[in-house]
Amino acid sequence: MKPLLWKYPGKLIGVIALRTAATVAGTAFTLMLAELLNSAVQGSVRRLLLTGGMVIVLMLLAQVFEYVTSIQKNRLLREWNVLLKSTLFSRLLEKSMGNFEERNSASYSNGLLTDCESLEQLYFSNSLELLDAVAELVITSIAVIWISPVLFLAMIFLTFLTLLLMNVGNEKFQSGMKKYTNAREAYSVFLKENLSCFRLIRMFQMKEKVRKAHDDACQQMEEKKCRQQILMAQKSCVMSLTGLGSTVLIMMAAAYLALKGAVSVGFVLAAGQLIGKITYPVTVLPGIIMNYKSAKPIEERLSIYDAGK
């Protein structure tokens, strides 16, 4: 898949440039909000109006860049998808009759449809999301370091603490998901087996027995589902509490630095938003890595299009 990413270097570089510009504009917008509060504190109406105008301009600029970036990303995804399917189909046409007939046509169609769509999400879109995360992390980090290196270190510490807390209970969560999946499959098998024997069930008067077996299987499945949803709610609460706690702690640290004259009063407000711009890219990295790993088996399945296979 890697060679396909660089088939359109101009468009890829264009997307990177647009993402960088959008992130810079968004970060500048956040910092100008701090200046807006500083203008109010200083009581300067002229400065307040000028700062407010700049805030509006940066807000519009950031949204325009985001919109254009989204358009170019979708166009690049289109080119990658067409190139992938065209390459696979060309390889398929190069196969000999004997190699082609080793598999049914459905397996080839499934590869060009389902597997290619999965690769779009797990590899191509995932790569663009990685670019977004890197741009946001680097640009926001530069801005915070320029203003207060001490506050940047505090943000990094809280970011890794958030990442650590997010991973707490993952094994239990995955185990619960596996149990629910198994129970759901068992219920599905029960339905297929018993509904296919409907005539025998009525003939031998087994309605009550089958009904009880059905209710037991359904109860087990729904119980596993309920437990999984409770675990999901717990994880969501922990993540929300961690995010809010990090924001509060950073704003408290920024307020302390403001008391010491190290940062402006307005930056206390901006600090709460900037930590989100640093935390989010770091917390999505494990998911991005997992998507790349999930894409590998799909790439291996697509080897059936090679001429000698």
Side-chain angles (χ1 to χ4, degrees):
M1 292 297 108
K2 289 182 180 179
L4 295 181
L5 293 178
W6 298 102
K7 286 292 184 178
Y8 303 100
K11 293 182 179 180
L12 181 59
I13 292 172
V15 168
I16 294 173
L18 286 169
R19 168 49 57 198
T20 302
T23 306
V24 169
T27 304
F29 169 74
T30 301
L31 296 176
M32 286 307 298
L33 286 177
E35 287 301 312
L36 192 64
L37 182 57
N38 290 334
S39 300
V41 171
Q42 293 178 5
S44 173
V45 177
R46 183 175 179 275
R47 182 180 175 184
L48 180 65
L49 293 174
L50 288 174
T51 305
M54 292 183 66
V55 167
I56 293 173
V57 170
L58 287 171
M59 177 187 68
L60 295 174
L61 196 60
Q63 291 304 310
V64 169
F65 277 129
E66 286 287 349
Y67 176 67
V68 177
T69 302
S70 177
I71 292 174
Q72 294 305 315
K73 284 170 65 175
N74 285 313
R75 287 176 176 173
L76 183 57
L77 284 172
R78 177 195 64 194
E79 298 297 336
W80 281 336
N81 289 331
V82 170
L83 179 61
L84 173 62
K85 292 176 181 178
S86 176
T87 301
L88 293 176
F89 194 76
S90 296
R91 291 178 184 175
L92 183 61
L93 294 178
E94 295 299 323
K95 294 174 76 72
S96 64
M97 289 291 294
N99 287 334
F100 180 84
E101 292 177 351
E102 288 178 358
R103 295 178 175 84
N104 57 48
S105 59
S107 63
Y108 298 119
S109 299
N110 184 67
L112 287 169
L113 291 172
T114 306
D115 287 343
C116 285
E117 287 178 358
S118 297
L119 280 179
E120 177 187 355
Q121 296 298 322
L122 297 175
Y123 198 90
F124 296 140
S125 294
N126 199 49
S127 298
L128 295 178
E129 186 176 353
L130 177 61
L131 291 176
D132 291 347
V134 170
E136 185 124 351
L137 179 62
V138 171
I139 292 170
T140 306
S141 297
I142 292 173
V144 177
I145 291 173
W146 176 63
I147 295 170
S148 175
V150 174
L151 203 60
F152 172 73
L153 293 176
M155 287 183 177
I156 291 297
F157 171 77
L158 289 174
T159 296
F160 282 104
L161 180 62
T162 300
L163 187 61
L164 180 64
L165 291 175
M166 283 179 60
N167 292 325
V168 172
N170 271 359
E171 292 183 1
K172 187 177 181 181
F173 182 80
Q174 292 173 358
S175 175
M177 179 61 74
K178 185 177 181 180
K179 290 179 181 178
Y180 167 63
T181 302
N182 292 338
R184 191 174 184 276
E185 289 178 356
Y187 180 68
S188 176
V189 170
F190 172 87
L191 291 176
K192 291 177 181 178
E193 291 179 348
N194 285 274
L195 292 179
S196 63
C197 301
F198 181 78
R199 184 180 295 274
L200 294 176
I201 293 171
R202 294 300 302 270
M203 185 181 299
F204 292 98
Q205 298 296 318
M206 299 174 62
K207 290 188 295 182
E208 293 303 321
K209 182 179 180 180
V210 172
R211 182 183 291 114
K212 186 178 184 303
H214 168 268
D215 291 346
D216 290 342
C218 181
Q219 179 68 30
Q220 290 181 14
M221 181 185 69
E222 294 300 329
E223 183 67 28
K224 298 293 191 301
K225 180 181 178 181
C226 180
R227 291 179 183 176
Q228 185 64 15
Q229 289 175 336
I230 291 173
L231 288 174
M232 190 178 296
Q234 291 175 349
K235 192 173 183 65
S236 177
C237 288
V238 170
M239 291 173 61
S240 178
L241 182 61
T242 303
L244 291 173
S246 298
T247 301
V248 170
L249 289 174
I250 281 297
M251 292 184 72
M252 289 175 63
Y256 175 78
L257 292 175
L259 288 174
K260 297 296 183 179
V263 297
S264 66
V265 175
F267 186 72
V268 177
L269 175 65
Q273 296 182 353
L274 290 173
I275 187 174
K277 291 177 175 290
I278 290 178
T279 302
Y280 176 75
V282 175
T283 54
V284 299
L285 283 177
I288 291 175
I289 294 172
M290 186 64 66
N291 285 341
Y292 279 130
K293 290 181 179 179
S294 299
K296 287 184 179 180
I298 300 176
E299 289 185 60
E300 293 174 359
R301 285 206 301 268
L302 292 179
S303 63
I304 63 173
Y305 294 90
D306 294 342
K309 296 185 179 181

